[in-house]
Amino acid sequence: MKAALFDLDGVVFDTEPQYSVFWGSQCREFHPERPGLENEIKGSTLVQIYDAWFSGPLAEKQPLITERLNAYEAQMDYIYVPGFEAFVASLRQEGVKTAVVTSSNQPKMEAVYRSHPEFRGLFDAILTSEDFERSKPHPDCYLKAAERFGIEPKDCVVFEDSFNGLKSGRAAGMYVVGLATTNPAEAIKPFCDEVVADYISIKD
């Protein structure tokens, strides 16, 4: 492993339960006919959610939902997945390049930086939605991260929790570690090379 590439939500931070609360409130308001929709859209990007569930007559509600989401993310608790800080520190000590590869945008990342001033120092690169045109499950984002480091995809390890993210890492030709933080281990197992509960359970 020459580079470790991390998704953000559910991989670096245990934020997925908080997103379930947010999207649960929006789905109950705009899709009361679809109970539990917040669970169906887990791991989807905002664009994918809008295209699938807030287009057509509901397209006019997108700016309102985006405003609500930005306000919600600004006050979220960004709690590291157990063992992450020690794990990424050990990688960097061994000379492994580290990067965040996320579909989150810059306003969201500014909230992260306010909550964790040390965050930027944990990574050699941070790629956000502004850095690539095609979202996961397309491999574009992970391929661009490898290119940023000048490292072959086969020498990169992807850490992901969502189905789209796992598919993205695999499509990029990288070794994929799935974290069972958002979806059950058995559900994500077919889409990755290895499944872990958190970083404490990763053995050298």
Side-chain angles (χ1 to χ4, degrees), residues 54-60 62:
F54 295 91
S55 58
L58 286 177
E60 64 181 23
Q62 291 181 15

Side-chain angles (χ1 to χ4, degrees), residues 28 31-40:
R28 284 190 294 275
H31 281 290
E33 81 289 353
R34 190 93 176 192
L37 178 57
E38 66 271 21
N39 297 316
E40 295 182 43

Side-chain angles (χ1 to χ4, degrees), residues 106-128:
Q106 281 299 329
K108 157 77 171 292
M109 296 310 298
E110 291 301 324
V112 169
Y113 301 148
R114 287 193 298 272
S115 179
H116 289 282
E118 81 289 350
F119 187 83
R120 286 186 176 96
L122 300 178
F123 305 96
D124 297 293
I126 297 175
L127 282 73
T128 63

